[in-house]
């Protein structure tokens, strides 16, 4: 294993600690590519250990966020975790929804970082969109504005899913299929420990708002070519 690869990934994770910075997104996605292609775990980055043995690796479950907006955030968590060889589930109480990601630790590290960045990015873009529609229509009611924003957020998630899927397919075409497909042990964990929950209520059908969000979400993986 090249020491330069380990150092490069460590620098990418250091950069990604600032989720408000556009460079953080690029760092996360570049780190994903390098870790997939070189089969490098988070522990290796920190300690310079040996290559992870997937036959002995354990599936872990990690709490990532608590939210009142359960369905849209659950969908975002589901999309990101699926694209990064993981899965997700939620634990509901009366007023809160706790989101968890499960998988091999190195995959959960990347999925969690990407989820938090994607959430921050979606929040920023949706607030900007809300301001725009209020300027364009001063008489727009709060109810109608909220519906448009939720449609926008749904579109954003769909666009992000498209972008991440394209990145995954590019890795598969380069011969890294096993590095991006969800491991059997992770699927077995889901079957053994989780039950199917209720369907998510994400049927927001303001087409103009949804399409605008979709176009923004598709930009998520722009400019991530690895040097």
């Amino acid at each position: 294993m090249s020491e330069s690869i380990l150092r490069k990934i460590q620098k990418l994770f250091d950069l990604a600690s600032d989720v408000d910075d556009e460079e953080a997104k690029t760092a996360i996605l570049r780190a994903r590519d390098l870790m997939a292609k070189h089969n490098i775990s988070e522990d290796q980055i920190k300690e310079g250990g040996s290559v992870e043995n997937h036959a002995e690796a354990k599936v872990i479950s990690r709490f990532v966020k608590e939210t009142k907006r359960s369905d849209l955030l659950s969908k975002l968590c589901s999309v990101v975790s699926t694209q990064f060889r993981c899965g997700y589930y939620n634990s509901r109480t009366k007023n809160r929804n706790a989101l968890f990601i499960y998988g091999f630790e190195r995959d959960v590290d990347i999925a969690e970082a990407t989820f938090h960045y994607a959430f921050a990015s979606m929040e920023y873009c949706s607030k900007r969109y809300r301001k725009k529609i209020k300027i364009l229509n001063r008489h727009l009611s709060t109810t109608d504005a909220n519906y448009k924003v939720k449609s926008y957020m749904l579109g954003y998630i769909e666009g992000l899913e498209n972008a991440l899927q394209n990145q995954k397919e590019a890795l598969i075409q380069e011969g890294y299929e096993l590095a991006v497909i969800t491991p059997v042990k992770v699927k077995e964990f889901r079957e053994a420990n989780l039950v199917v929950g209720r369907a998510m209520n994400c049927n927001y059908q303001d087409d103009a708002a949804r399409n605008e969000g979709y176009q923004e979400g598709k930009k998520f993986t722009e400019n991530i070519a690895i040097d």
Side-chain angles (χ1 to χ4, degrees):
M1 180 200 316
S2 169
E3 288 293 326
S4 64
I5 294 295
L6 289 175
R7 287 197 299 271
K8 186 168 186 177
I9 295 174
Q10 181 59 65
K11 288 180 180 179
L12 289 171
F13 272 111
D14 291 342
L15 178 61
S17 62
D18 180 6
V19 297
D20 293 326
D21 183 13
E22 177 70 13
E23 286 184 301
K25 173 189 69 178
T26 304
I28 291 168
L29 297 174
R30 285 185 175 181
R32 175 204 192 186
D33 273 4
L34 288 174
M35 291 177 76
K37 292 177 178 179
H38 295 275
N39 197 27
I40 295 173
S41 70
E42 180 75 3
D43 286 341
Q44 285 174 264
I45 297 167
K46 295 175 181 176
E47 302 171 10
S50 60
V51 172
E52 179 180 4
N53 184 345
H54 283 187
E56 299 178 0
K58 294 182 179 179
V59 176
I60 67 165
S61 176
R62 183 182 299 165
F63 167 79
V64 293
K65 191 170 184 62
E66 187 176 70
T67 178
K68 290 183 178 180
R69 289 179 296 175
S70 58
D71 288 340
L72 281 169
L73 269 293
S74 291
K75 184 172 181 65
L76 178 64
C77 192
S78 175
V79 164
V80 172
S81 62
T82 300
Q83 292 295 328
F84 288 86
R85 294 168 30 107
C86 297
Y88 109 102
Y89 66 92
N90 55 47
S91 176
R92 297 176 185 273
T93 61
K94 288 184 178 180
N95 300 316
R96 289 286 181 178
N97 187 46
L99 303 179
F100 295 80
I101 294 176
Y102 62 89
F104 292 155
E105 186 171 7
R106 66 160 189 161
D107 298 322
V108 174
D109 290 332
I110 297 288
E112 181 185 17
T114 306
F115 169 74
H116 284 301
Y117 180 83
F119 171 71
S121 178
M122 184 175 69
E123 285 279 280
Y124 173 81
C125 292
S126 62
K127 288 178 181 177
R128 184 177 60 187
Y129 175 75
R130 182 186 292 273
K131 289 180 180 179
K132 185 181 81 169
I133 60 176
K134 292 295 285 184
I135 290 172
L136 293 174
N137 185 353
R138 292 183 305 154
H139 303 293
L140 186 68
S141 70
T142 299
T143 298
D144 288 342
N146 287 342
Y147 189 82
K148 284 180 175 292
V149 170
K150 288 177 180 178
S151 295
Y152 177 93
M153 294 172 75
L154 177 59
Y156 185 95
I157 294 169
E158 292 169 339
L160 179 147
E161 181 176 24
N162 176 270
L164 290 177
Q165 181 62 30
N166 287 341
Q167 186 194 30
K168 177 188 282 188
E169 290 175 357
L171 283 167
I172 291 173
Q173 290 175 2
E174 292 178 42
Y176 300 103
E177 182 174 3
L178 293 179
V180 295
I181 299 300
T182 302
V184 172
K185 288 179 71 172
V186 176
K187 295 178 180 178
E188 291 175 343
F189 177 90
R190 177 186 63 211
E191 294 170 358
N193 296 282
L194 304 177
V195 296
V196 178
R198 68 170 180 82
M200 287 182 251
N201 180 23
C202 293
N203 189 29
Y204 303 111
Q205 295 295 337
D206 187 308
D207 292 339
R210 192 167 173 176
N211 182 64
E212 191 163 343
Y214 181 83
Q215 297 304 321
E216 189 66 37
K218 282 176 63 178
K219 300 176 183 178
F220 192 76
T221 55
E222 287 183 354
N223 303 319
I224 59 164
I226 296 180
D227 300 328

